[in-house]
Amino acid sequence: MTRPVITLWSDNHFYSPYVMSVYVALQEKGLAFSLKTVDLAKGEHLQSGWKGYGLTRRVPLLEVDTFELTESSAITEYLDERFAPPQWERLYPHDIEKRARARQIQAWIRSDLMPIREERSTDVVFGGVKKPALSNAGEKAAAKLYDTASALLSHGKPNLFGEWSVADTDLALMINRLVLNGDDVPEQLADYASFQWQRASVQRFLALSAKHTG
């Protein structure tokens, strides 16, 4: 079987949490892929010559042979179906209801908690930047994150579903926006995020981001 040619497009600093999600997914699948970047600050993603221009004009953009796809959760779901178990590792739980819950968590992180995403941008996570105290809106969003994540992890296990899924990486990154800034995060959630951060695929992305910072 011919191996597919896979390319992942990222921002040039590798600061996108959504690029990270797809990068981790590709690593977990053990798929060979190349990396290309666009400079978001210069608006390269808004130029008609870029491959992602006709889609959503955002990173990540994944190319698999002649197929192009954007939006990270759509990409990780596609990867899990295109490169399916048992030949490749699973990105989502086997159980249908747990799989639906993982997708719910991904959708929630991408569509809610905006004050956290604004006040704890990923230069905190990948660049070591420290931000001022949270606003009232930020505190409310953090409380919502803590309550929801604590309920999801009330079983006391180190992963959301008893086995790793890509939703663990996404949730841990959201929590680490606060942990790595020095905010007061419940111990259980800080420990969970720290555990997820040690995964080899995550560490590879962190090294990649550190290499391109500055």
Side-chain angles (χ1 to χ4, degrees), residues 58-128:
R58 303 202 297 185
V59 294
L61 164 67
L62 185 76
E63 297 179 69
V64 180
D65 294 329
T66 60
F67 180 64
E68 299 165 358
L69 186 66
T70 59
E71 301 305 310
S72 58
S73 59
I75 293 171
T76 55
E77 289 181 32
Y78 163 74
L79 288 172
D80 216 28
E81 293 180 9
R82 171 75 185 269
F83 304 99
Q87 185 175 355
W88 285 278
E89 293 297 318
R90 189 180 299 279
L91 300 178
Y92 291 90
H94 178 268
D95 178 81
I96 189 171
E97 292 179 352
K98 290 180 179 179
R99 191 160 65 249
R101 184 72 70 207
R103 290 168 172 163
Q104 172 196 306
I105 292 165
Q106 286 188 299
W108 171 57
I109 288 170
R110 285 157 174 75
S111 62
D112 200 356
L113 308 172
M114 182 60 75
I116 297 175
R117 288 187 279 153
E118 290 179 344
E119 298 177 33
R120 298 291 181 265
S121 54
T122 52
D123 53 0
V124 170
V125 177
F126 302 122

